[in-house]
Amino acid sequence: MTIKDVKAYELLDSRGNPTVGVRLTTENGDFWALTPSGASAGSHEALELRDTGPRYGGKGVGTAVKNVNTLIAKRILGMDETQQAELDGALLELDGTKSKDALGANAVLPVSMAAAVAAAAAQRIPLYQHLGRLYGFSNGANAVLPVPMCNVINGGKHAGQDNDIQEHMIVPVGAKSYSEAIRMVAESYHELQAELKRRFGPQGILIGDEGGFAPQIPTVQERLDLVVKAYEEAGYRDEMRLAIDSASSEFFADGTYHIGAKSYSSGELVDFYDELTKAYPIVSLEDGMAEDDWDGWTELMAKIGSRVQIVGDDLLVTNPERIEMAVAKKAVNSVLIKLNQIGSLTETLQAVRLSHKSGFSTVISHRSGETEDRFIADLAVGVRAGQVKFGAPARTDRNAKYNRLLVIEDGLGSAAKYPGAGFRDLR
Ligand code: 2PG
Ligand code: MG
C-alpha cells in the first residue's frame, strides 16, 4: 500500500473555470479527485490558489498543479495511502501556513481526497464505508442516506444578481426512502419548469450555476409561492418543506443588509426571517446573517433557532476554530460542510466530529462551481450527516452526486435508512 505516482491536471469546472484534478497511482490502479470552487466564497476560507496573468482571465491553476507535481509529489511518494491522518499531516506541515497559503487548498485537497479513494480500493470496500471508518464508525452498518436539500430557484451570485437571496430549496422530508425523495424532487422541479414557462416564456426557464431556474422574480416571497405551488401540483404538499440559503455576506455592506431595494439593520433582518419562517414551511436557513456579524447570528438563533435549523456556511467555513466560536456564542445549530473551505479530508472530518459532539447537525455541500467528482456523496453516508445540498436535480455536475447516492442506496438494500423528518437528528 504505497503511493507510486501523483499527477495533477488543469481541468475545467462546471462554470468553465480551471480547477485542479489529481490522479494518484498505487499498486491497485489510478484514483482521481477534483476540486470544486465557490462563487459566494467566505473570506475565512483556505486559499484557492489562482495564477495571475492573462490565461483564463487570471483564473488559471498552473501554480497549484505545479505544487502537486513537484513539492507534494516529492513529499508523499512512497507513503501509505491508507494512513490518511499521517498523509494529511505531512501535507499541512509541508504547507506550513494556517490557510494553505503556500501550496493552495486546491493543491492539497485533491491529493488528500484521491488518497482516500485509493485507500478504499486497497481495502476492497466502498468509499463511504472507508470514510465512515476514518470518521470513527466501525464498518458502516446502520447506513444513513441523506435528505437532499435541492436548490430549484437560483439567485444572487449564482444567477448574476446583486443584493439577492441566493438559494430556494425543496426538502422531501416525507419520503420513505432516498430514491423516493429524489423522484419527488425531480417531479416538483419539472412542475416548476412548466409553471415558469407558462408565466414568463422561454426566459423563465433559464438556469443558474446550480441547475435551478433563475427567473426575474424580485421577492423571496413570490419565488417561494411558485416553489410551493410546484410541489403541491406534483402532489407533495405534505411531504415537502423549504430551505433557504441567503448567502447574506454578499448583500451586507457598511453594517446594513440590502435585499432588492430594501435595507435592513441586523435586528430588522432577524424580524424579517421570523415572519418569513412563520409564513412558509421553512425548516432550514443558511447564512441568514453575514460572516462576521456574530451578534446578529446569536440574535437569530435566540429568536427562531428552536423551530428552524440555523446553518453556518461562510460564518464557519468548515473550520474547527470557528465552530468552537459558534458553540461559545450560541450562533448556530447546524454546520455546512465543504471540503475545499478547509482544504484536507482529515480537517473536514474533525469539523464534522466537533459539530456532532457540540450537538450541531451537519449538511454535506457541493460548491456552485462543481465537477464530475462524487466524493461528497460518499462522505455524507460515511459520516451519517443525514443531509446534503447538491443543487437542483439537473445538470450532470449535480446529478453525479445524487446518482451516486441512488447506487449506494441500492447496494445497501434493506440496511439503507432514510431519516425523513428526522434529518436533523444526530446518530
Ligand atoms: C453556498 C455555496 C453552494 P458557493 O453558498 O452554500 O451552494 O455557494 O459555492 O458559490 O460558495
Ligand atoms: Mg451557503
Side-chain angles (χ1 to χ4, degrees), residues 37-41 158 166-167 210 245 286 313 336 338 365-368 389:
S37 176
S40 61
H158 302 162
Q166 181 175 279
E167 299 172 24
E210 299 190 345
D245 177 6
E286 176 184 333
D313 170 18
L336 202 80
K338 293 167 168 166
S365 173
H366 67 159
R367 300 306 305 244
S368 50
K389 180 178 102 152

Side-chain angles (χ1 to χ4, degrees), residues 52-101:
T52 49
R55 290 180 72 253
Y56 286 115
K59 290 201 163 101
V61 291
T63 314
V65 164
K66 196 166 140 237
N67 288 344
V68 175
N69 292 339
T70 56
L71 300 169
I72 291 180
K74 189 163 167 239
R75 179 68 184 83
I76 69 164
L77 290 192
M79 285 186 82
D80 181 346
E81 75 277 14
T82 66
Q83 301 304 306
Q84 189 74 42
E86 209 176 291
L87 179 84
D88 287 341
L91 293 171
L92 298 200
E93 196 187 292
L94 182 66
D95 178 84
T97 71
K98 251 188 137 170
S99 302
K100 309 199 171 50
D101 295 340

